[in-house]
């Protein structure tokens, strides 16, 4: 109990500077990320043992009638690797295995309905504030996430990514999401394969 109390006090103290306006903004997302700090740099990764321990704990909570609900999702993120740090980033996401396979086969979106937001999403993400708690290997980050809904802008961004000669950063993700209805909190555990390259095939993402 002493350890738990100290943990809660540390978290509360660390988050106290956050303004209510930031916490209540509907376009903001507050993330709690587990990882490690290496020479002051945060790396959001876990060992397979840690991953399995957390997911087993959350799966046990799903069996409770008043507990968590579980969903699973496969997606592919594509970012232009421009070397920028912070600031606004534009991310293209393909949702669903069949559409990811279609893109990987064609290396274009000719046979995918890019106007369907459930299949193709363009998201502009800006980091608003970051708080590190080195003691517990935690990072709290507030980001503004805005989905691009204007179809003209969306299709232009898709075309810009396709024709860009810059390296692209690919992240193939299999995500388990546990949702807690009482607090509206969500616990995401994601298996990620990532690589850089001019296109998905040359990046050899799935071989990572």
């Amino acid at each position: 109990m002493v350890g738990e109390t100290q943990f809660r006090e540390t978290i509360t103290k660390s988050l106290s500077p956050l303004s209510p306006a930031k916490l209540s903004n509907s376009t903001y997302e507050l993330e709690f990320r587990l990882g490690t700090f290496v020479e002051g740099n945060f790396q959001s990764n876990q060992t397979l043992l840690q991953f399995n321990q957390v997911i087993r704990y959350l799966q046990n909570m799903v069996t409770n009638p008043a507990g968590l609900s579980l969903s699973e999702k496969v997606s592919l993120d594509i970012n232009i690797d421009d070397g920028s740090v912070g600031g606004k980033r534009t991310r293209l996401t393909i949702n669903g295995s069949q559409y990811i396979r279609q893109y990987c086969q064609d290396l274009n979106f000719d046979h995918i309905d890019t106007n369907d937001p459930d299949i193709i999403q363009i998201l502009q993400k800006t980091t608003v504030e970051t708080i590190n708690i080195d003691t517990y290997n935690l990072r709290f980050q507030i980001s503004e996430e805005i989905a691009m809904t204007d179809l003209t802008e969306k299709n232009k961004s898709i075309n810009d990514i396709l024709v860009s000669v810059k390296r692209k950063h690919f992240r193939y993700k299999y995500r388990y999401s546990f949702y807690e209805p009482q607090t509206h909190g969500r616990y995401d555990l994601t298996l990620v394969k990532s690589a850089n390259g001019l296109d998905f095939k040359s990046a050899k993402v799935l071989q990572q």
Side-chain angles (χ1 to χ4, degrees), residues 68-87:
L68 309 179
S69 61
L70 169 64
S71 63
E72 300 177 33
K73 181 180 179 181
V74 180
S75 62
L76 175 66
D77 292 343
I78 307 174
N79 295 274
I80 297 295
D81 184 16
D82 59 4
S84 62
V85 178

Side-chain angles (χ1 to χ4, degrees), residues 147-207:
M148 192 177 293
T149 56
D150 183 277
L151 295 182
T152 301
E153 290 186 11
K154 182 178 180 181
N155 287 314
K156 181 181 182 303
S157 293
I158 292 172
N159 185 67
D160 289 345
I161 290 175
L162 284 177
V163 302
S164 174
V165 295
K166 294 181 179 179
R167 287 197 317 165
K168 301 175 182 67
H169 183 61
F170 298 91
R171 297 178 78 241
Y172 179 82
K173 303 183 299 187
Y174 194 106
R175 173 169 289 173
Y176 301 88
S177 293
F178 298 84
Y179 179 71
E180 190 170 22
Q182 292 183 340
T183 63
H184 303 290
R186 193 181 76 207
Y187 305 89
D188 290 334
L189 289 95
T190 310
L191 297 168
V192 180
K193 290 181 178 289
S194 62
N196 296 324
L198 294 178
D199 58 56
F200 187 85
K201 291 180 180 177
S202 65
K204 299 180 180 179
V205 179
L206 299 181
Q207 297 180 22

Side-chain angles (χ1 to χ4, degrees), residues 30-163:
L30 173 61
E31 287 183 301
F32 298 69
R33 300 166 65 192
L34 297 171
T36 54
F37 288 92
V38 180
E39 296 181 352
N41 296 315
F42 181 77
Q43 299 179 358
S44 57
N45 51 26
Q46 297 290 302
T47 65
L48 184 59
L49 176 61
Q50 291 170 323
F51 184 93
N52 287 333
Q53 286 176 333
V54 174
I55 203 167
R56 278 199 296 269
Y57 174 80
L58 293 173
Q59 284 174 330
N60 288 334
M61 293 179 67
V62 172
T63 60
N64 186 329
L68 309 179
S69 61
L70 169 64
S71 63
E72 300 177 33
K73 181 180 179 181
V74 180
S75 62
L76 175 66
D77 292 343
I78 307 174
N79 295 274
I80 297 295
D81 184 16
D82 59 4
S84 62
V85 178
K88 183 178 292 186
R89 303 176 300 280
T90 301
R91 182 181 73 213
L92 184 152
T93 299
I94 308 170
N95 294 309
S97 298
Q98 69 184 95
Y99 303 109
I100 294 172
R101 284 195 297 269
Q102 188 70 58
Y103 165 75
C104 294
Q105 176 181 312
D106 301 338
L107 294 181
N108 60 51
F109 297 92
D110 292 350
H111 299 96
I112 300 175
D113 183 4
T114 57
N115 292 335
D116 188 336
D118 292 329
I119 301 173
I120 301 293
Q121 184 181 45
I122 301 287
L123 191 72
Q124 292 183 324
K125 184 171 183 176
T126 306
T127 301
V128 177
E129 188 162 348
T130 300
I131 298 174
N132 294 327
I133 305 180
D134 301 39
T135 307
Y136 295 106
N137 286 324
L138 280 174
R139 166 167 283 186
F140 295 82
Q141 185 166 288
I142 294 180
S143 301
E144 183 177 38
E145 295 189 339
I146 300 177
M148 192 177 293
T149 56
D150 183 277
L151 295 182
T152 301
E153 290 186 11
K154 182 178 180 181
N155 287 314
K156 181 181 182 303
S157 293
I158 292 172
N159 185 67
D160 289 345
I161 290 175
L162 284 177
V163 302

